[in-house]
């Protein structure tokens, strides 16, 4: 099934982890993909692995910077001929309790997630409204639903992405552009494997399905939201959590 045949998708933070798997599943579904990532070397290697310039390209991009978005989206529009899907996936964590969290780490996490997703959503919307179609998928987190200890910055940013997704969905619905979000729970990736064993075990105990999720299990939901399979869905938040905090 070529769910994304003849479509071009931009995936931020696609050099590794969930973003790379989203890019991989999109290419498998017939899309051409532009990976935007801070780490150009890794993003270039990822694009090569996905089949090279004809189907996948890499652009260095800091999602916080509007100018970087212009270059990234131009690679889709001018390089591949259209912009049909944008996945705002790039992310970081700087965990600490409020007692020890620095203002710098608060601003950094809010910036990458909230401003980065806003830049991508508004810049993509401006192009997609002209074409009267498009799908934007934003990566929130279960942290944004329930709040996690040590993540006042990240939980605030991920909750903010939900509000932003719904506001943008309302603004763009009549232009044919859909905006949806995903809230992953505990997914096995570089971000979570850096976690101390005790913290990992604590989270596992909260998961009814009794296991962590795999990046492929988030990517398949991103593919669903990016494709016409979800053509009557906008402003929704899909939880990919194994039932945790349902
Ligand atoms: N892994 C999980 O359990 C989990 C759970 C919930 C939500 N998420 C969210 O899913 C997304 C992907 O997470 P992951 O686990 O694959 O992370 P990861 O750390 O493996 O990959 C993140 C990627 O984003 C890139 N990046 C970071 N800052 C950037 C910036 N300013 N501009 C452009 N690129 C930047 C990194 O270079 C990296 O390639 C994130 O938004 C994360 O918050 C992850």
């Amino acid at each position: 099934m070529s769910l994304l045949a003849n479509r071009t998708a931009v995936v931020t933070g696609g050099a590794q982890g969930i973003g790379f798997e989203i890019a991989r599943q999109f290419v498998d579904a017939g899309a051409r993909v532009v990976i935007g990532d801070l780490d150009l070397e890794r993003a270039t290697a990822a694009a090569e692995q996905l089949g090279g310039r004809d189907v996948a390209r890499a652009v260095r991009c800091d999602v916080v910077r509007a100018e970087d978005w212009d270059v990234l989206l131009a690679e889709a529009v001018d390089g591949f001929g259209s912009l049909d899907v944008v996945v705002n996936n790039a992310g970081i964590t700087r965990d600490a309790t409020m007692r020890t969290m620095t203002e710098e780490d608060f601003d950094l996490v809010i910036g990458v997630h909230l401003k980065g997703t806003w830049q991508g959503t508004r810049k993509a919307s401006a192009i997609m409204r002209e074409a009267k179609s498009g799908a934007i998928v934003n990566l929130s987190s279960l942290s944004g639903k329930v709040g996690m200890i040590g993540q006042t910055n990240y939980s605030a940013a991920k909750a903010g992405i939900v509000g932003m997704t719904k506001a943008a969905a309302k603004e763009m619905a009549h232009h044919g552009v859909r905006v949806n979000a995903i809230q992953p729970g505990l997914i096995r990736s570089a971000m979570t494997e850096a976690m101390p064993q005790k913290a990992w075990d604590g989270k596992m105990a909260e998961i009814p399905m009794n296991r962590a999720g795999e990046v492929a299990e988030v990517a398949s939901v991103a593919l669903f939201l990016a494709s016409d399979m979800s053509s009557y869905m906008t402003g929704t938040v899909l939880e990919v959590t194994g039932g945790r905090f349902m």
Side-chain angles (χ1 to χ4, degrees), residues 13 16 18 37-38 61-63 89 140 154 158 184-185 187 189 192:
Q16 66 177 48
I18 292 171
D37 204 291
L38 266 185
C61 152
D62 179 348
V63 291
N89 164 82
S140 174
Y154 185 81
K158 291 303 202 184
I187 308 301
S189 77
T192 52

Side-chain angles (χ1 to χ4, degrees), residues 29-60:
R32 292 150 306 203
V33 173
V34 184
I35 291 173
D37 204 291
L38 266 185
D39 187 339
L40 181 59
E41 203 176 317
R42 204 188 280 252
T44 303
E48 277 301 311
Q49 205 181 324
L50 295 177
R53 283 194 64 75
D54 289 349
V55 289
R57 297 179 188 177
V59 171
R60 192 201 173 272

Side-chain angles (χ1 to χ4, degrees), residues 116-197:
T117 300
W118 181 71
Q119 298 284 29
T121 303
R122 76 183 178 109
K123 291 276 180 186
S125 292
I127 296 169
M128 289 171 173
R129 67 189 287 161
E130 298 298 321
K132 295 185 172 54
S133 82
I136 298 170
V137 181
N138 295 332
L139 269 289
S140 174
S141 165
L142 200 48
S143 273
K145 178 182 175 183
V146 301
M148 303 284 186
I149 290 173
Q151 293 196 318
T152 48
N153 49 3
Y154 185 81
S155 298
K158 291 303 202 184
I161 286 175
V162 171
M164 188 192 302
T165 297
K166 293 180 180 184
K170 285 180 181 172
E171 285 190 22
M172 298 309 296
H174 65 288
H175 294 294
V177 180
R178 299 182 300 106
V179 191
N180 290 287
I182 302 175
Q183 285 187 328
L186 182 64
I187 308 301
R188 206 180 292 278
S189 77
M191 190 181 268
T192 52
E193 275 168 358
M195 195 184 294
Q197 187 65 38

